[in-house]
Amino acid sequence: MILILASEESSEAQHVARALASRGEVPQWFDTAWFPAQAGLTAELTPQGWKGALTTPQAVIDLEDISAIYYRQSQPYSFPANLSEPERRFATIETRFGLGGLLASLPAHWVSHPSHTADAEYRINQMASAAAVGFAVPASLLTNELHQARRFVTAQPNGAVYKTIMHKIISEENQVKLIHTTAIDSSTIDQRINVAPHLFQHNVEKAFDARVVATSDGTCLGVAIHTRHPGARQDWTTGYSHLTYEATEIPVLVRQRCQALLALLQIEVGAFDFSIDSDGSWWFLEVNPSGAWAWIAEEAQLPIAEAIADLLMKGNAR
């Protein structure tokens, strides 16, 4: 039995569920946001591992029946509103390590395992791994030292950009704001850099961007992302309405390196972002083990969900 461990609202998970259904496999679903308001668990430890069941609004899922799991990002739990803040913190931690530990222990084929997914989300680590498998990675500096940042930025022939390392969303003055990839010069960097590591990169003079979804069994599907909008050319996530998409051929070496990086990071699926310059060089920007791909599959008619469904079906047959 295949379990989808994802938000009910996840477009990617919905696409995969439909692709599985078209193959005659109806998956069970578990959204962590259901717990504990609409879901429960009971499991006992045996020499063969934890045995028991998850209850959901739709079904009772026997843990022993789960042979493959499609995992997307976990959602916040649904605790009673009358819990105090200390009680809520306690319940959150206990649930994370209780429910999360139970699921992580299952001897199922994960796409991808949450522990490997979490490790792969360390951007600094994945950049080193990308360089190790042969990807072209823009010149990069990680620092919290003002003079080093200014030195690096000044030395870049096409200028430099600042990128967040993990969180692109901040809350300020009761407003939620996004931090996008931003072109900078040395005069814009000040002593505030001292409070945390900052990531600076050479600004690739690109012709277009690409998002590529690769799976561990060799599938590699991608779209070229084009725009003439100045802001979106720097960071295409700033202007979705200005973008056009087309399926694109992926060079053999890029395909091979995608596979090598998935293996090195021990993940089954990755959403890769590249910038392609006028010489046709593919510059690695990042790989997101939980990256969005539903909209590009729809825009360019790419069978990404089908590829992931095939991966899960193979795991289900083991």
Side-chain angles (χ1 to χ4, degrees), residues 42 45 49 64 103 113 142 144 157 175 185 195 211 271 280 296 307:
T42 297
L45 185 61
E64 292 185 82
L103 292 169
H113 194 282
L142 181 69
N144 74 325
Q175 289 186 322
D185 58 48
V195 302
R211 174 157 288 193
I296 63 168

Side-chain angles (χ1 to χ4, degrees), residues 6-305:
S7 166
E8 286 184 287
E9 307 302 319
S10 168
S11 297
E12 286 73 23
Q14 292 170 4
H15 277 63
V16 170
R18 287 193 290 269
L20 288 168
S22 72
R23 287 157 173 73
E25 180 72 31
V26 179
Q28 294 291 343
W29 202 296
F30 190 87
D31 184 344
T32 53
W34 294 339
F35 192 88
Q38 302 178 73
L41 68 88
T42 297
E44 294 189 21
L45 185 61
T46 76
Q48 292 74 43
W50 291 97
K51 309 297 181 185
L54 299 171
T55 58
T56 77
Q58 289 84 31
V60 176
I61 303 170
D62 191 318
L63 297 175
E64 292 185 82
D65 291 341
I66 301 171
S67 54
I69 303 174
Y70 180 54
Y71 171 65
R72 299 287 296 172
Q73 294 147 326
S74 298
Q75 301 302 303
Y77 310 115
S78 53
F79 297 119
N82 62 354
L83 288 186
S84 68
E85 189 56 34
E87 289 171 333
R88 185 173 298 274
R89 285 197 302 270
F90 176 82
T92 298
I93 293 170
E94 291 296 286
T95 302
R96 177 189 169 194
F97 288 94
L99 174 61
L102 175 66
L103 292 169
S105 76
L106 297 179
H109 178 68
W110 285 82
V111 180
S112 298
H113 194 282
S115 297
H116 299 157
T117 296
D119 288 344
E121 287 177 338
Y122 281 90
R123 185 171 193 165
I124 304 306
N125 176 53
Q126 65 171 244
M127 290 169 64
S129 299
V133 302
F135 274 124
V137 181
S140 304
L141 177 73
L142 181 69
T143 187
N144 74 325
E145 297 182 354
L146 178 61
H147 69 285
Q148 293 289 1
R150 286 178 172 172
R151 172 194 60 79
F152 176 85
V153 168
T154 301
Q156 302 312 306
N158 191 50
V161 294
Y162 164 73
K163 296 182 175 182
T164 58
I165 297 169
M166 183 61 183
H167 289 294
K168 297 182 179 182
I169 300 175
I170 61 171
S171 179
E172 187 175 59
E173 298 174 349
N174 296 320
Q175 289 186 322
V176 175
K177 301 178 181 179
L178 290 173
I179 304 175
H180 297 286
T181 298
T182 306
I184 57 170
D185 58 48
S186 60
S187 66
T188 63
I189 307 171
D190 59 33
Q191 291 291 346
R192 289 176 296 178
I193 191 178
N194 294 337
V195 302
H198 287 64
L199 177 62
F200 303 96
Q201 282 191 322
H202 174 70
N203 194 11
V204 176
E205 192 169 2
K206 59 191 173 185
F208 61 95
D209 291 292
R211 174 157 288 193
V212 173
V213 177
T215 67
S216 60
D217 64 351
T219 297
C220 210
L221 301 165
V223 297
I225 303 172
H226 298 280
T227 183
R228 294 182 179 179
H229 187 272
R233 278 190 63 80
Q234 185 67 73
D235 182 341
W236 55 262
T237 65
T238 66
Y240 286 96
S241 62
H242 300 285
L243 306 179
T244 59
Y245 309 90
E246 61 176 345
T248 187
E249 282 295 316
I250 302 162
V252 172
L253 273 178
V254 173
R255 298 170 66 95
Q256 292 173 345
R257 288 165 180 164
C258 285
Q259 297 302 311
L261 187 54
L262 291 180
L264 187 58
L265 296 175
Q266 300 184 73
I267 54 176
E268 301 293 321
V269 178
F272 291 75
D273 285 333
F274 296 94
S275 287
I276 296 85
D277 65 22
S278 56
D279 294 329
S281 297
W282 285 57
W283 292 89
F284 172 91
L285 302 180
E286 67 176 311
V287 57
N288 189 334
S290 301
W293 50 259
W295 98 99
I296 63 168
E298 294 167 2
E299 290 282 353
Q301 298 300 299
L302 295 177
I304 297 173

